[in-house]
Amino acid sequence: MAKIKPSKGAPYARILGVGGYRPIRVVPNEVILEKIDSSDEWIRSRSGIETRHWAGPEETVAAMSIEAAGKAIADAGISAEQIGAVVVSTVSHFKQTPAVATEIADKLGTDKAAAFDISAGCAGFGYGLTLAKGMIVEGSAAYVLVIGVERLSDLTDLEDRATAFLFGDGAGAVVVGPSQEPAIGPTVWGSEGDKSETIKQTVSWNDFRIGDVSQLPLDSEGNVKFPAITQEGQAVFRWAVFEMAKVAQQALDAAGIAPDDLDVFIPHQANERIIDSMVKTLKLPEHVTVARDIRTTGNTSAASIPLAMERLLATGEAKSGDTALLIGFGAGLVFAATVVTLP
């Protein structure tokens, strides 16, 4: 019987470069308050959000991704032709096919890189990073570009008091490549599909296409609402606070890292109260830098972790070589956590 030749890749993988893109338009809470009965103080106290970025017509999912990816490639010190695969995590690319990753790979100038999209909500960056690590070690790509990108303003119901203030737009990207020492730890990931109704799209695309007004939500003027993201806030909060701290600890244990060994904590930027609760539950020491990009960027789902990482490095709050705990969690409900060495 013929034997398959074993694959040969790098011994380990690491993040080599990071880049981000935030849309030009900055949207303060006052704009959100035009359509919901709330206050700036309530939004800040409940979420920590002061402003968010919303994309304009030219700032498409592909365009934002290309900007962020170009910065990550330059930061990694490689050329686009060396990229062997492009993985894009997004829930806001509105074409079922083809994958937006193929357009991005072409416009960046890769040499026919493998390209595909994944849909893993706010855990999507962690999922993509795990896939990239596997490709590097397995040998199917020398360098992998991982992008988290969202235009959640397109999926926001501005009349939904529970979610209208949460979401922002943007793209974050990293280049993953070979390493001679471990620099991306084991991933602790999974899903709890029995809780999938807690974060969901209000109306399926098919129901929206059929357009039965009697079955579709209407806005204050009687018009059919475009499908949007909705959530059961309290249920999501409890799950994130109590269950995700456990996942984060499991990722630390899997990497052999104690909380005192950490330099940086970069959780999904969903809600500052969730972040504060996780810091307390994990008993992170005061020297650990905690990402709080939520305040000026809002919840950008799959883009939130790489965007927060890019900002911490750009401002000097984190530095190259720091040990960071990453954790993403969201619709599905899905989650992914790992420890990495920052580029």
Side-chain angles (χ1 to χ4, degrees):
M1 183 171 61
K3 293 185 178 180
I4 297 174
K5 183 179 178 180
S7 57
K8 293 181 64 176
Y12 306 104
R14 68 186 308 118
I15 300 174
L16 299 173
V18 60
Y21 179 82
R22 293 172 174 80
I24 295 171
R25 184 187 178 194
V26 177
V27 180
N29 289 337
E30 286 73 19
V31 172
I32 305 299
L33 296 173
E34 293 173 3
K35 293 196 174 184
I36 61 171
D37 179 19
S38 188
S39 68
D40 177 61
E41 190 279 330
W42 187 89
I43 293 174
R44 291 180 187 233
S45 65
R46 298 288 289 184
S47 68
I49 299 172
E50 302 168 9
T51 61
R52 74 285 290 146
H53 295 254
W54 282 356
E58 302 302 316
E59 293 170 310
T60 63
V61 165
M64 291 191 293
S65 296
I66 290 166
E67 289 289 335
K71 295 175 184 177
I73 292 169
D75 191 43
I78 65 170
S79 66
E81 291 87 350
Q82 293 174 272
I83 298 291
V86 177
V87 183
V88 177
S89 178
T90 184
V91 299
S92 47
H93 172 56
F94 287 166
K95 288 184 179 178
Q96 192 71 37
T97 192
V100 71
T102 58
E103 176 186 350
I104 294 165
D106 176 63
K107 290 186 176 177
L108 284 172
T110 68
D111 184 17
K112 300 180 181 179
F116 57 95
D117 297 351
I118 60 174
S119 177
C122 304
F125 177 75
Y127 275 46
L129 186 63
T130 303
L131 294 174
K133 173 186 174 182
M135 287 185 242
I136 300 301
V137 174
E138 189 268 342
S140 59
Y143 299 94
V144 180
L145 178 64
V146 180
I147 302 170
V149 57
E150 302 293 2
R151 271 184 57 119
L152 293 182
S153 58
D154 292 335
L155 288 168
T156 299
D157 179 355
L158 294 177
E159 296 181 344
D160 180 358
R161 189 173 184 273
T163 61
F165 60 90
L166 286 176
F167 302 122
D169 302 337
V174 299
V175 172
V176 180
S179 175
Q180 292 303 307
E181 59 185 26
I184 301 176
T187 299
V188 177
W189 58 351
S191 65
E192 296 187 34
D194 60 317
K195 300 179 180 66
S196 61
E197 290 296 299
T198 56
I199 306 175
K200 63 181 181 180
Q201 185 170 306
T202 52
V203 179
S204 75
W205 295 120
N206 192 53
D207 289 342
F208 184 75
R209 178 180 65 86
I210 294 171
D212 182 355
V213 176
S214 66
Q215 301 297 316
L216 299 177
L218 305 178
D219 64 21
S220 57
E221 297 178 355
N223 301 311
V224 173
K225 289 184 177 182
F226 191 74
I229 297 173
T230 187
Q231 68 175 27
E232 298 174 16
Q234 287 302 313
V236 173
F237 182 87
R238 289 193 299 270
W239 176 78
V241 167
F242 295 110
E243 297 303 321
M244 290 305 98
K246 298 176 187 176
V247 171
Q249 184 62 57
Q250 290 169 12
L252 288 172
D253 293 342
I257 298 293
D260 286 349
D261 298 325
L262 276 181
D263 300 303
V264 186
F265 179 40
I266 311 179
H268 165 49
Q269 302 293 292
N271 182 301
E272 192 162 39
R273 290 195 303 154
I274 293 174
I275 295 171
D276 289 340
S277 295
M278 292 181 71
V279 169
K280 183 177 180 180
T281 302
L282 289 167
K283 298 180 180 179
L284 296 183
E286 289 189 6
H287 76 261
V288 176
T289 297
V290 180
R292 298 185 184 278
D293 201 38
I294 181 76
R295 295 173 179 172
T296 57
T297 305
N299 180 344
T300 56
S301 189
S304 77
I305 290 176
L307 276 174
M309 181 189 299
E310 185 265 348
R311 175 163 279 173
L312 289 177
L313 289 167
T315 60
E317 295 173 82
K319 63 183 185 298
S320 176
D322 279 353
T323 301
L325 169 62
L326 316 180
I327 181 168
F329 45 86
L333 293 171
V334 295
F335 55 88
T338 189
V339 176
V340 305
T341 301
L342 293 182

